[in-house]
Amino acid sequence: LFTANAMPHLLNHPLASHVMTHLRDKTTKPATFRTLCYQLSLLLAIEATRDLPTETKTIETPLERAEGQVLSHHSLVVVPILRAGLGMVQPFLDLFPDVSVGYIGLERDHATAVARSYYCKLPPLTAQSRVVLVDPMLATGGSAVQALDVVASQGASDVTLVSIVSSPEGVAAVRKRYPTLPIFTAALDRELNARKYILPGLGDFGDRLYGT
Ligand code: PRP
Ligand code: URA
C-alpha cells in the first residue's frame, strides 16, 4: 500500500506493543487510559525528536573537563488538536521544558466525519520553528490536513505529525497534500469502517480519555 519513504515511522518496542494492547481494550477505564496515553506519547515524543540539532558544550565533571552535546537553542512547538490531542502534550512538557504549546480545536461532524474548526491559538511560528502536531487518531486525515494547513499558513515549514493510531486512508490523505512530512505513529491499523472509525482501533479516543 505504501512505498518505503511514504511509510509512517512506526514505534517498534515491546513496551509500546504492550501499552497499545491495553489502550485498545474496551474494559480499560479513563484513568488507566490516560496513563497509557501518556506512556505511548512519551515514547513517540522521543522518536519524533530524534533529529533535533545539538551543539557541543564543554563542562567540568567532578574529575576533569569533558565535552558533551546539548540541544541547540531551537524553537520547539507542540500543537495538540483538541480535544483528544491534549492527552499527548504532557510528555513534551516533561521532556522539553522550553517547549511552547499552541492549540487547534477541531471537531468531526458525527454524520459527515468532516472536521469543523472552533478554536485556534498558536505562538508565533517561523521557518526556524519545529512544530510537532499531535492528535491520537489519524482516521480520514481530514483533521490533520486542516491543522497542517493552519500551521503552514502561519509560517511553519518544519512540521512533524504524531499520532497514536493511524489508518492507511489517513496516512494517504496527509501524504497527498504533504508528501515528505514525517509521520510518527504507534500503530498503523487495517481500515476505516462506514462511520469513519479506525478498525480495529480503540473507539472514540476523546470519549475514552475524558470519560464522556
Ligand atoms: C477525533 C480525533 C481526531 C479526529 C480524527 O476527534 O481526536 O482529531 O477525530 O479523525 P479524522 O482523521 O477523520 O479527521 P473528534 O472530532 O472526535 O473530537 P474530540 O477530540 O473532541 O473527541
Ligand atoms: N476519532 C476517534 O476518536 N476514533 C476513530 O476511530 C476515528 C476518529
Side-chain angles (χ1 to χ4, degrees):
L1 192 52
F2 298 111
T3 58
N5 65 356
M7 267 297 282
H9 301 271
L10 273 167
L11 276 189
N12 182 14
H13 194 289
L15 177 63
S17 310
H18 174 89
V19 173
M20 178 60 83
T21 301
H22 290 292
L23 198 71
R24 290 185 192 279
D25 187 335
K26 69 177 184 185
T27 67
T28 297
K29 295 197 166 41
T32 309
F33 193 90
R34 286 191 289 273
T35 302
L36 299 169
C37 172
Y38 176 93
Q39 291 169 342
L40 273 181
S41 304
L42 183 73
L43 293 169
L44 284 163
I46 290 168
E47 283 306 313
T49 52
R50 196 178 269 289
D51 63 339
L52 280 184
T54 59
E55 58 196 38
T56 303
K57 182 176 166 69
T58 306
I59 45 94
E60 299 281 342
T61 79
L63 300 173
E64 62 178 31
R65 180 168 295 192
E67 284 193 344
Q69 297 295 310
V70 293
L71 290 174
S72 300
H73 186 70
H74 199 267
S75 156
L76 182 66
V77 183
V78 62
V79 178
I81 300 181
L82 307 179
R83 179 183 53 141
L86 278 178
M88 301 178 71
V89 173
Q90 192 60 42
F92 286 87
L93 299 177
D94 293 346
L95 291 170
F96 303 101
D98 295 331
V99 69
S100 312
V101 187
Y103 299 90
I104 296 179
L106 295 174
E107 186 175 31
R108 289 203 327 177
D109 181 285
H110 281 294
T112 63
V114 174
R116 171 188 72 89
S117 166
Y118 60 87
Y119 188 71
C120 184
K121 181 115 184 150
L122 295 169
L125 302 177
T126 68
Q128 278 67 50
S129 311
R130 159 69 65 93
V131 176
V132 184
L133 185 70
V134 296
D135 187 340
M137 304 305 275
L138 179 62
T140 66
S143 304
V145 167
Q146 266 195 53
L148 289 166
D149 287 351
V150 170
V151 295
S153 73
Q154 301 283 310
S157 52
D158 180 2
V159 186
T160 296
L161 176 64
V162 177
S163 77
I164 290 180
V165 183
S166 300
S167 73
E169 293 89 335
V171 173
V174 172
R175 279 278 163 270
K176 191 167 170 209
R177 191 158 176 87
Y178 296 98
T180 60
L181 183 116
I183 303 175
F184 289 82
T185 190
L188 182 59
D189 275 11
R190 196 177 69 244
E191 61 184 343
L192 298 179
N193 70 9
R195 294 177 55 227
K196 309 295 185 193
Y197 274 76
I198 300 175
L199 296 176
L202 47 71
D204 188 305
F205 202 99
D207 284 351
R208 298 199 61 192
L209 192 65
Y210 295 120
T212 50

